[in-house]
Structures are given as structure tokens and as C-alpha cells.
Amino acid sequence: MTDAMTAVTSLTGETAVRAHPLTGTVCQVRLASGRTVVAKRGTGTDMVAAEAASLRWLADADAVGVPAILGQDANWLVIERIEAGRPTADAAEEFGRRLAALHASDAPAFGQPPPDGPRDAWIGMAAMVNVPAPDWPAWYAESRIRPYLRRCAAAGTLSKADVAIIDNVADRVAELAGPAEPPARLHGDLWNGNVVWGADGHAWLIDPAAHGGHRETDLAMLALFGCPHLNRVLAAYREVAPLADGWADRVPLHQLFPLLVHTELFGGGYAAQAVAAARAC
């Protein structure tokens, strides 16, 4: 906690008076002014740089709110604290419309990192490489499915039979992907825990792993672990930006990536979920 307070004081120019841990690497820090901020310690190379670049890129879209960056260095990121409220139907519908606007913002290529963002980035605590590519199916197979599949196989969290099932999906992404779409500006780790339903009545996004990708990936990740009023979010999204026919059938394909990430990080039941998603493709 002392390190967090020292970092916050140095990076914001305001005296930190108290720190409260949220996770092993994240603290809420109270300032002498009475304001509370969030301090995040990077535990991997370029972790802070990747998240800061992601936050700036999402903020530049002026679509969904993200916390303001208050200071950063190589090891610490200090951001605005969003006061949590409760999810409402109105907030969910607004979120759906704003998410559609975010996805419609410019992304030069699939796999494109945010401006000034590192190639070697992170999704949660897992490494994630952003390499621009012109073609989504090949990029998704080679940059999002197979790297995690190889690591899970090496760690023994997936059996040879499981690996074969998922590898077969990677071979067939082009035929499973549906109509071609332009690259979208993605949050990149859009599970419900990274949506803060603010006390101001709006949804805010935190902990991004932003890059250029397929917009259905963000939507599939939002559905993966449950999201309040998800049907309203999706309905409002589709009013602004209709999805291609068959999008619901493609949800398992897009969920395969985050499930493999979770299998790498946590093993256990996520391996079975990843295989089930592959079988459903």
C-alpha cells in the first residue's frame, strides 16, 4: 500500500493519505483533497503502456465513457474512480447504442494496436500480441486461437483430443465467420466485470485490451459471463448497427478466444467450456 500511495502522490502531484486494496495489483487511494482514485500496478512488460494506450484510444472515440488517466509511469497507472451504481434498462439501452458507436470508430486493421500501444500487450494477466492483418478469419485463427491453444496444450490443461477439436475450428474460421466486416475498434476484454454501471446512470468501460477486431467478439464476450439487461443492450445495439444474419450462431466462435485465455490462466472448468464452444461452432 505504501508503494501505491507513493506512486499516486508522485504521478498526480496530490498527497495520498490512505490506500485500500481491491486486488493484488489494484488499490483505491484517498487523496488529501478528499478525492479517491484507482492505482494499478503493472506486473508484466508494457502492461501499463498497453492499458493506457487502450484507454486513450477508446476515449478518443467519444462513444462509451472510460476513466480518465491521471498519471502513469513504467510501473503504475492512476485513473479516475467511477462511482458504481446499479444497472438499469435505460442505461443498458444507452450502452448498446454507445457500444455500436465505439465499434464504428476507425480501426485501421484487424489486430491493430491503439496508437502508441505496444505490439506485445495483455488481456487480463495473459499475454496478447497485436499484429495487424487484412483478413479477420486468418488473423483470428493465428493470433487469437492458436497461441493460447498451444500454451494450454503445453501446460496439459487441454488433452490431445481437445486440442484437435479446437484446432479444427481454427482451420475452418473462414467458413464459419459469416459475411466479411471492416475492423471495429474493440474494448477487447468486454466481460461484464469490465462494465461499471455508474451512479451517474451511464455504463463505463474499464480494463480494456483494445485493438482492431470483429465487433461480434465484443458482443460475444459480453454474453459469456452474464450481463444485466443483455437483451436490451443487444436490441439497442442492433437498432443502430444491425448484425449480419447468423450472428447468434457465431457466438461460440467468438467466445472461443476468451475461453482459451481463461483456460490458460485458470484451467479447470474453462477447458471444458472451450471445448464445448468449439463443438458448437
Side-chain angles (χ1 to χ4, degrees), residues 84-110:
R86 62 183 185 86
T88 65
D90 287 346
E93 290 174 2
E94 181 194 57
F95 176 42
R97 293 188 291 269
R98 288 181 176 271
L99 185 60
L102 173 65
H103 289 165
S105 302
D106 178 58
F110 297 109

Side-chain angles (χ1 to χ4, degrees), residues 24-46:
T25 59
V26 182
C27 301
Q28 284 189 170
V29 179
R30 184 83 166 174
L31 304 178
S33 64
R35 181 169 60 151
T36 299
V37 300
V38 174
K40 305 184 69 175
R41 177 170 53 85
T43 57
T45 303
D46 284 335

Side-chain angles (χ1 to χ4, degrees), residues 15-272:
T15 302
V17 296
R18 186 181 304 111
H20 173 72
L22 299 177
T23 70
T25 59
V26 182
C27 301
Q28 284 189 170
V29 179
R30 184 83 166 174
L31 304 178
S33 64
R35 181 169 60 151
T36 299
V37 300
V38 174
K40 305 184 69 175
R41 177 170 53 85
T43 57
T45 303
D46 284 335
M47 186 174 280
V48 169
E51 181 168 346
S54 291
L55 286 169
R56 287 192 292 268
W57 198 39
L58 298 187
D60 285 347
D62 194 25
V64 187
V66 297
I69 297 173
L70 304 177
Q72 72 177 98
D73 61 17
N75 300 307
W76 288 93
L77 177 66
V78 183
I79 59 174
E80 173 188 16
R81 174 181 173 269
I82 305 302
E83 185 178 351
R86 62 183 185 86
T88 65
D90 287 346
E93 290 174 2
E94 181 194 57
F95 176 42
R97 293 188 291 269
R98 288 181 176 271
L99 185 60
L102 173 65
H103 289 165
S105 302
D106 178 58
F110 297 109
Q112 181 73 39
D116 301 322
R119 171 187 179 275
D120 296 315
W122 299 82
I123 178 166
M125 299 300 290
M128 184 180 78
V129 177
N130 287 320
V131 179
D135 176 72
W136 184 79
W139 170 80
Y140 188 66
E142 299 306 323
S143 292
R144 289 297 182 265
I145 295 178
R146 287 198 164 111
Y148 302 91
L149 182 60
R150 287 193 293 268
R151 294 200 285 268
C152 292
T157 51
L158 289 170
S159 69
K160 288 184 179 180
D162 294 340
V163 169
I165 292 167
I166 296 172
D167 199 44
N168 178 259
V169 173
D171 286 339
R172 298 186 297 116
V173 173
E175 69 183 73
L176 299 170
E181 295 222 358
R185 190 177 305 201
L186 300 189
H187 174 280
D189 191 10
L190 195 58
W191 70 288
N192 181 57
N194 287 341
V195 179
V196 177
W197 300 93
D200 61 359
H202 303 292
W204 294 72
L205 300 183
I206 61 172
D207 297 348
H211 60 278
H214 197 303
R215 61 195 180 121
E216 290 179 13
T217 302
D218 260 0
L219 299 178
M221 291 177 75
L222 195 61
L224 185 56
F225 301 117
C227 173
H229 305 294
L230 180 60
N231 287 341
R232 288 181 180 267
V233 174
L234 295 176
Y237 183 104
R238 294 171 65 197
E239 286 178 5
V240 175
L243 297 169
D245 289 347
W247 67 271
D249 295 331
R250 293 187 291 273
V251 167
L253 174 65
H254 290 274
Q255 289 181 342
L256 189 54
F257 163 52
L259 285 170
L260 285 171
V261 171
H262 277 72
T263 301
E264 178 186 348
L265 292 175
F266 309 114
Y270 291 113

